């Protein structure tokens, strides 16, 4: 399934007046990074596609860092307008509404029932508010699976496979990386010649063998800076247009994903570390060499990286780091060295975290229904 037309529904077979769903969807952490979008790509029907990645990416789905969203809906007269209230942690959050409005406008062609209902979207995160952890991926993924639950009521013949694929497709239109938060512990987004079923339109569960070394892989997130992002992801992605190193970077991502296919199968943690840390530093190198340019790492980010390198060299324990587009550090390591790494973090790294805060997480399995009245 590779056409946007596959996600435009035919006439619905059922109707419903009101109801509610609750879903959780996790954050994810990219190993091969998505940075840069293709501008004005046309599909086979001549439509302009949005949120299309310039290179494929692969991520670990997290377990504990997630958004929980309840979607209540009630039938209204279709007056040609979207109608919704938005609550964050039980309180009205007007400043979030424009992003939801834009999302609804993008997905209306694929969810033609949207103007038939008034929605109350009640959402919260399991991780601390303003913790510096991006919540757009988990938030948009949770909203997408809720909308798909309503569509499944209207079309009960829908398969689980289609449900998940379309949810990922919709989530992408809200936040690109959100498409990697729907299903699976390791998820690929973007066309890649050696990954069966991969697509620019949605994320897919990594289809190849994954060695037991990566089972229950750990991610401890060190909260170095909990402030607002210095540069939005949208602006950052746009800066890859005309970037002097963009084409080489996009080719590198394909090569690194090729390497990870073999690494996931062999369980070679040494090679895994090389790819993951290189990808993290390349992401920040792209920001530092764009115009305008940004340095999103903080001094304590570098202190942590150097401490991890020193610890790994001295102990041979296979711990590594990765970074998002910010200062926080994700410390990745296999479950069988959890005690040693957590001791190292508490003794050597917590002092570099804002207010000593860090979050222990691990690989998870994607979105989950909390209340299901299908």
């Amino acid at each position: 399934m590779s056409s946007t037309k596959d996600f435009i529904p035919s006439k619905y077979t059922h109707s419903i007046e009101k109801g509610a769903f609750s879903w959780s969807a996790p954050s994810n952490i990219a190993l091969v990074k998505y940075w840069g979008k293709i501008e004005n790509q046309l599909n086979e029907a001549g439509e302009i596609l949005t949120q299309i990645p310039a290179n494929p990416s692969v991520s670990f789905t997290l377990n504990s860092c997630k958004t929980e969203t309840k979607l209540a809906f009630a039938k209204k007269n279709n007056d040609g307008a979207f109608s919704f209230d938005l609550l964050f942690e039980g309180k009205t959050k007007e400043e979030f509404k424009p992003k939801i409005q834009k999302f609804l406008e993008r997905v209306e062609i694929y969810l033609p029932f949207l103007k038939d209902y008034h929605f109350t979207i009640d959402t919260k995160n399991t991780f601390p508010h303003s913790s510096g952890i991006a919540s757009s991926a988990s938030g948009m993924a949770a909203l997408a699976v809720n909308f798909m639950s309503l569509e499944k009521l209207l079309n009960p013949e829908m398969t689980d496979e289609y449900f998940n694929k379309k949810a990922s497709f919709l989530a992408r239109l809200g936040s690109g990386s959100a498409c990697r938060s729907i299903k699976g512990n390791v998820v690929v987004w973007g066309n890649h010649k050696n990954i069966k079923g991969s697509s620019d339109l949605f994320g897919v569960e990594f289809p190849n063998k994954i060695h037991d070394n990566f089972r229950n892989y750990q991610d401890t997130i060190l909260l170095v800076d909990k402030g607002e992002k210095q540069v939005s992801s949208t602006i950052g992605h746009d800066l890859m247009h005309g970037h002097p190193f963009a084409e080489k970077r996009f080719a590198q991502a394909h090569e690194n994903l090729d390497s990870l296919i073999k690494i996931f199968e062999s369980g070679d943690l040494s090679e895994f570390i090389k790819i993951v840390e290189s990808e993290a530093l390349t992401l920040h190198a792209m920001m530092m060499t764009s115009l305008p340019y940004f340095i999103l790492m903080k001094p304590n980010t570098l202190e942590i990286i150097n401490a991890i390198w020193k610890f790994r060299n001295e102990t041979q324990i296979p711990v590594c780091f990765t970074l998002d587009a910010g200062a926080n550090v994700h410390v990745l390591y296999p479950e069988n060295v959890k005690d040693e790494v957590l001791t190292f973090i508490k003794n050597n790294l917590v002092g570099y975290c804002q207010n000593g805060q860090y979050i222990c997480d691990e690989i998870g399995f994607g979105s989950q229904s909390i209340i299901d009245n299908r």
Side-chain angles (χ1 to χ4, degrees), residues 11-14 151-160 162:
K11 190 174 181 181
Y12 294 126
T13 58
H14 288 60
E151 183 164 80
K152 185 154 186 176
L153 286 182
L154 301 173
N155 179 20
E157 294 76 29
M158 183 187 299
T159 65
D160 288 343
Y162 181 85

Side-chain angles (χ1 to χ4, degrees), residues 314-329:
E314 290 174 351
T315 64
Q316 301 305 303
I317 290 173
V319 57
C320 69
F321 71 88
T322 190
L323 307 166
D324 268 335
N328 296 334
V329 181

Side-chain angles (χ1 to χ4, degrees), residues 204-220:
V204 298
E205 291 184 74
F206 183 76
N208 299 23
K209 182 181 176 183
I210 298 178
H211 194 279
D212 282 348
N213 281 352
F214 298 103
R215 189 183 301 276
N216 299 328
Y217 220 74
Q218 304 292 299
D219 179 5
T220 299

Side-chain angles (χ1 to χ4, degrees), residues 250-278:
F250 301 147
Q252 178 197 44
H254 280 271
E255 292 163 8
N256 283 342
L257 191 43
D258 253 337
S259 297
L260 275 179
I261 293 172
K262 300 166 190 170
I263 290 166
F264 279 139
E265 183 172 1
S266 69
D268 188 332
L269 294 178
S270 177
E271 290 301 309
F272 176 78
I273 287 169
K274 289 178 186 176
I275 295 290
V276 169
E277 291 190 341
S278 171

